[in-house]
Amino acid sequence: MAQAQLDVTLSTPLTGLSESDAQARRAQGLGNSAPPPTSRTYGQILRQNVFTLINISLFTLAMGLALLGRLGDALISTGIISLNIIVSVVQEVRAKRALDRIALLTRPTATVVRDGQERDVSPDEVVVGDILKVDPGDQIIVDGRIVGDGRIMVDESQLTGESNLIPKKSGDQVFSGSFCITGRGYYEAEKVGEQSLSNQITTGARAFRRVLTPLQSEINLVVKITLIVVVYFEFILFLNALVNEKSLADSVENATILAGLVPNGLFLSISVAYALGAVRLIQFGALVQQANSIESLSHVNVLCLDKTGTLTANRLQLKETHALTIDQADFDAILADMVASAATGNKTSEAIAAARPGVARPIAVEVPFSSARKWSAIAVTQQEYVSPLRPGLYAMGAPEILQRSMEPSYTPGSPGWDRVADWIRQRTDQGLRVLLIAYFPDSTRLADDGDASTLPPDMTPLGLVSLSDELRPDVDQALKAFQEAGVATKIISGDSPETVAALARQVGLGPDIALLSGPQIDEMTNEQLRALVGSTTIFGRITPQQKKRIVEALRADGSYVAMIGDGVNDALSLKQANLGVAMQSGSQVTRSVADIILMGDSFSALLPAVREGQRILNGMQAILKLFLARIGTVGLVILSSMLIGVFPLQLRQGSIVTLLSVGIPTVVIAVIARPGVFPRGSLIRRLFTFVATSVLSGSVFAILIFYGVYLYLSILVNNDAGALSADQARRLAEATLPRAETTLAWFLVFYGLFLVIFVQPPTKWWAVGSDLINDWRPTILSVSLMFLFLLINQVPRLRRFFALSPLGPVEIGVVVVGVIAWVLLIRFIWRHSLLDRFLST
């Protein structure tokens, strides 16, 4: 490699390398190797879903049951967890493929000079010695040095953490991972692949890591705590088996039932739900780059939009020019030549050039437009052609910014400026963008110092320009839908607040909307800004740093903020927001820092994504209630029974209880869950009252029913023992415990299915523990599953498969009375908030 480096010779920025030179250097090992994959391999997905602690425990216990000849019990114990694994693996593989496509679509491109011609190539085609062109918004993909006369301002915040822009000129180093913010230039590739600075920094960071969302963290904690409790129960069960000399098969079966209490499937279900959500969002044109952005979407209550390119299509048209101190024809000619002479263009200059073609004149200095300054300027030192563009300094920018440098007759409050202000106000009320053109005769007063560049005082206003921007066709419907979803809208723009407000009214944000401008924000403390951001809708003349301050203030005020942008000036605010969203056609830097990319260039695609996030989290709230209630109730019943010495359930009975009361309902609820504003804060804490009431009341009724029936049947056996043969008495005694177990299974099934109705209440009568949903589908499902359970008990083969015994009228009556009494009791407790009142005293 050292010898290969010596073979590298500098090439001129005009011709670059030839294709044969590039191929030779690639053969020498001087090519820019593609970065390693950021997503997991298929093997990693399989290992991480299969080889978990609880899965290994369940499969081990199932193997023990199989070796003891209880193959059916072994299959049942592993059936649900195996289905969970299959679903998780399939969905995560689909998500991996989708995310790999996203990475391919959003990878940076490079413009390289080969054989004197510019052409776009993929980053891995670049070799050492290549000359690469860089424009505003482009990512620098390899380390190198600026060549030629170009000057650029670079954002190296992804490398250094500092957001200050750094000027770069010929001979200065540039680093991969940084971005060109303003200016245009060329740089020569010096360090590629693993040698580049960004690759050295991120070598360890590229490896996939599972980042837990807040909800996942809470569920992970629940799983761990439950696992510790279950391990303790298993220890007690082991001692109990030794003392009472229980058979090994029964001990393994009981241990499997206990292990099934660990809600490992719940954590997997959340991951699958988010993976499914990410895949669904692709249909709407929203590509997820960060998995936890699905949960972020469900929390968003403030949506910040950049105007240009987001609210509007960023297709400008010149509407009108208005001369102030010179002839109209001269002003139009100056405007045309100014735009043609500037080396760095933007959408504004392109619109003017399309309507007013001009001639490029020699210029000495150019200060490109900066969203921080709100103006651009050129300095003309000689007049070689007959043109109104005489020597001097010409500036174009926001009127309220340039007015600070105007001559006395056009300072704020003067009659001259009042006429200008009236003209501007009339156009901004129509939603037009207005720019002021000003002149100063001394061209030496202009220097390109980046954002620190200044204009001289006493400049002469030459005229005004108005431009229109095309609104996106679906923007009014989308914003209305956001408001209906409970998401407040904030529009943050570099244009004047009045212009933005006029556009906002056109899209239905209402006539009375509060405005705030960048100069006003500069005079505010963070506390003052925080007090106003919540009630303000339009922010105009905002710099990138001010956008960041606005987002910070919103977050400090307790809002969960999503920021949508497309330009380089949005990068800081996107990184500061809870959720960053970029347009597909936006700059590389915004796509790089965004959590979600809108492939259709329409933020209306984000509305289904927001609603999808809310739908997922609302569904998970109901699922959590059912899971935790089942775990707590069955766990307390088992614990109480272990103290007495009789295990209350068989493995197959526990499987039918889980399948009907949790397994099927939670899948259906996840599918039919509805979007809606979701309360903020800890989900587990919000569920505490519901779960605690369900567990305590349900376990008490379950224990009373199980031991009541068990004692009743035992008494009958003792009373009838004298009238029966020894064989009949033995069979009756052996049936006592199975019938009591079956009675308990009946109660737990009906308890769980009525709990589904309480979780998803269709009417006000049921809406005491959860909010009314006005949806009968969960209730119909619950009733259908009740009939299915009754049908299973009527079919001998199915009844035997799930180890259910035939029940007599007394046991069935006990279940019916117990379920009705429990429904009425828990409704009374929830309706009068008895547990909350007890805990608050």
Side-chain angles (χ1 to χ4, degrees), residues 48 123 204 300 316 356 382 404 413 511 581 625 711 753 756 768:
Q48 291 170 0
V300 168
L316 298 179
R356 299 283 192 277
Q382 53 184 328
R404 304 168 186 171
V581 183
K625 287 181 177 180
L711 291 175
L753 291 175
V756 172
V768 287

Side-chain angles (χ1 to χ4, degrees), residues 135-139 153-155 157 163 165 178-182 306 308 369 371 543-545 547 565-575 585-591 593:
D135 285 318
D138 286 346
Q139 181 179 351
M153 300 293 289
V154 174
D155 176 8
S157 59
S163 59
L165 299 184
S178 58
F179 292 86
C180 173
I181 304 301
T182 61
D306 176 53
T308 305
F369 177 82
S371 55
T543 66
Q545 289 73 22
K547 282 187 181 183
D566 70 319
V568 176
N569 60 330
D570 299 315
L572 291 176
S573 52
L574 257 69
K575 290 162 70 174
S585 63
S587 64
Q588 293 177 4
V589 62
T590 51
R591 294 202 307 268
V593 302

Side-chain angles (χ1 to χ4, degrees), residues 244-496:
N244 295 302
E245 299 181 350
K246 289 189 175 181
S247 68
L248 181 60
D250 289 339
S251 299
V252 172
E253 179 182 350
N254 295 342
T256 306
I257 295 174
L258 274 176
L261 293 178
V262 179
N264 187 61
L266 177 60
F267 186 76
L268 290 174
S269 297
I270 293 175
S271 300
V272 171
Y274 289 146
L276 280 170
V279 173
R280 287 194 192 103
L281 296 187
I282 297 176
Q283 305 173 38
F284 305 114
L287 298 184
V288 178
Q289 294 202 116
Q290 295 292 334
N292 60 0
S293 59
I294 298 293
E295 183 172 328
S296 293
L297 284 169
S298 64
H299 294 293
V300 168
N301 56 12
V302 174
L303 179 66
C304 296
L305 309 170
D306 176 53
K307 180 185 78 70
T308 305
T310 305
L311 188 65
T312 63
N314 202 15
R315 290 191 287 266
L316 298 179
Q317 290 184 338
L318 179 65
K319 297 293 289 186
E320 188 179 2
T321 61
H322 178 65
L324 293 173
T325 57
I326 57 177
D327 292 339
Q328 184 66 44
D330 288 346
F331 175 66
D332 288 343
I334 289 173
L335 179 65
D337 287 355
M338 276 182 63
V339 172
S341 302
T344 303
N346 51 32
K347 294 291 184 180
T348 300
S349 61
E350 290 173 2
I352 295 174
R356 299 283 192 277
V359 179
R361 309 298 185 185
I363 58 175
V365 180
E366 177 182 1
V367 179
F369 177 82
S370 165
S371 55
R373 293 189 312 270
K374 305 297 182 189
W375 57 265
S376 62
I378 60 172
V380 179
T381 57
Q382 53 184 328
Q383 189 167 10
E384 300 178 355
Y385 308 93
V386 178
S387 169
L389 193 70
R390 57 187 183 273
L393 184 160
Y394 294 85
M396 176 169 62
E400 59 267 39
I401 302 299
L402 294 187
Q403 72 176 4
R404 304 168 186 171
S405 301
M406 291 298 99
E407 62 185 34
S409 58
Y410 280 92
T411 54
S414 64
W417 184 256
D418 288 342
R419 290 192 298 272
V420 172
D422 288 340
W423 194 92
I424 294 173
R425 185 166 48 252
Q426 293 173 14
R427 273 67 187 174
T428 55
D429 287 344
Q430 302 172 28
L432 300 177
R433 178 187 300 183
V434 178
L435 300 174
L436 174 65
I437 313 300
Y439 170 76
F440 191 77
D442 186 358
S443 62
T444 64
R445 297 294 296 272
L446 182 67
D448 184 5
D449 295 323
D451 286 345
S453 303
T454 58
L455 293 172
D458 298 335
M459 296 186 71
T460 302
L462 300 181
L464 296 158
V465 176
S466 67
L467 302 102
S468 64
D469 200 348
E470 178 184 343
L471 283 171
R472 294 195 179 276
D474 54 355
V475 67
D476 50 347
Q477 296 92 340
L479 288 181
K480 180 180 178 181
F482 274 119
Q483 292 173 334
E484 291 175 352
V487 180
T489 303
K490 312 286 183 183
I491 301 179
I492 308 175
S493 174
D495 285 342
S496 72

Side-chain angles (χ1 to χ4, degrees), residues 229-243:
V229 174
V230 165
V231 169
Y232 178 75
F233 281 1
E234 297 280 13
F235 175 71
I236 299 297
L237 185 65
F238 173 73
L239 294 179
N240 185 47
L242 289 179
V243 172

Side-chain angles (χ1 to χ4, degrees), residues 14-328:
L14 296 177
T15 60
L17 297 175
S18 66
E19 280 297 333
S20 59
D21 288 339
Q23 293 298 328
R25 296 186 183 209
R26 178 167 298 283
Q28 295 175 6
L30 300 178
N32 186 39
S33 57
T38 56
S39 61
R40 291 171 294 169
T41 64
Y42 295 111
Q44 288 174 322
I45 291 176
L46 190 63
R47 287 193 300 271
Q48 291 170 0
N49 281 287
V50 174
F51 298 105
T52 65
L53 177 60
I54 187 62
N55 287 354
I56 293 172
S57 301
L58 286 174
F59 282 125
T60 302
L61 292 170
M63 187 179 299
L65 286 172
L67 293 175
L68 293 170
R70 301 176 65 165
L71 184 60
D73 291 337
L75 293 176
I76 289 176
S77 68
T78 58
I80 295 177
I81 195 67
S82 298
L83 181 61
N84 237 340
I85 292 172
I86 293 171
V87 172
S88 299
V89 170
V90 170
Q91 295 304 331
E92 291 194 27
V93 166
R94 291 179 61 187
K96 166 188 164 54
R97 291 177 177 174
L99 294 176
D100 285 348
R101 288 195 297 269
I102 293 170
L104 181 63
L105 289 170
T106 59
R107 67 184 303 190
T109 58
T111 301
V112 65
V113 181
R114 295 268 177 87
D115 295 317
Q117 300 293 322
E118 295 180 1
R119 64 184 184 91
D120 293 334
V121 298
S122 63
D124 53 5
E125 293 183 47
V126 175
V127 299
V128 172
D130 262 329
I131 302 299
L132 296 101
K133 179 184 177 182
V134 60
D135 285 318
D138 286 346
Q139 181 179 351
I140 295 169
I141 62 169
V142 295
D143 294 0
R145 291 184 184 274
I146 298 293
V147 294
D149 298 329
R151 295 188 64 183
I152 60 176
M153 300 293 289
V154 174
D155 176 8
E156 295 181 349
S157 59
Q158 293 195 18
L159 301 175
T160 65
E162 300 291 336
S163 59
N164 296 328
L165 299 184
I166 302 173
K168 301 286 185 178
K169 61 182 184 301
S170 181
D172 289 344
Q173 277 193 308
V174 290
F175 301 100
S176 58
S178 58
F179 292 86
C180 173
I181 304 301
T182 61
R184 174 179 297 168
Y186 295 85
Y187 66 99
E188 181 168 11
E190 293 182 340
K191 294 181 180 180
V192 298
E194 296 180 354
Q195 295 181 345
S196 66
L197 177 62
S198 63
N199 281 342
Q200 293 175 12
I201 293 174
T202 61
T203 295
R206 283 199 188 98
F208 175 85
R209 63 187 181 95
R210 188 184 294 272
V211 180
L212 296 181
T213 63
L215 176 60
Q216 288 173 321
S217 297
E218 291 183 352
I219 299 307
N220 199 26
L221 179 62
V222 171
V223 170
K224 290 178 179 179
I225 293 175
T226 308
L227 182 60
I228 293 173
V229 174
V230 165
V231 169
Y232 178 75
F233 281 1
E234 297 280 13
F235 175 71
I236 299 297
L237 185 65
F238 173 73
L239 294 179
N240 185 47
L242 289 179
V243 172
N244 295 302
E245 299 181 350
K246 289 189 175 181
S247 68
L248 181 60
D250 289 339
S251 299
V252 172
E253 179 182 350
N254 295 342
T256 306
I257 295 174
L258 274 176
L261 293 178
V262 179
N264 187 61
L266 177 60
F267 186 76
L268 290 174
S269 297
I270 293 175
S271 300
V272 171
Y274 289 146
L276 280 170
V279 173
R280 287 194 192 103
L281 296 187
I282 297 176
Q283 305 173 38
F284 305 114
L287 298 184
V288 178
Q289 294 202 116
Q290 295 292 334
N292 60 0
S293 59
I294 298 293
E295 183 172 328
S296 293
L297 284 169
S298 64
H299 294 293
V300 168
N301 56 12
V302 174
L303 179 66
C304 296
L305 309 170
D306 176 53
K307 180 185 78 70
T308 305
T310 305
L311 188 65
T312 63
N314 202 15
R315 290 191 287 266
L316 298 179
Q317 290 184 338
L318 179 65
K319 297 293 289 186
E320 188 179 2
T321 61
H322 178 65
L324 293 173
T325 57
I326 57 177
D327 292 339
Q328 184 66 44

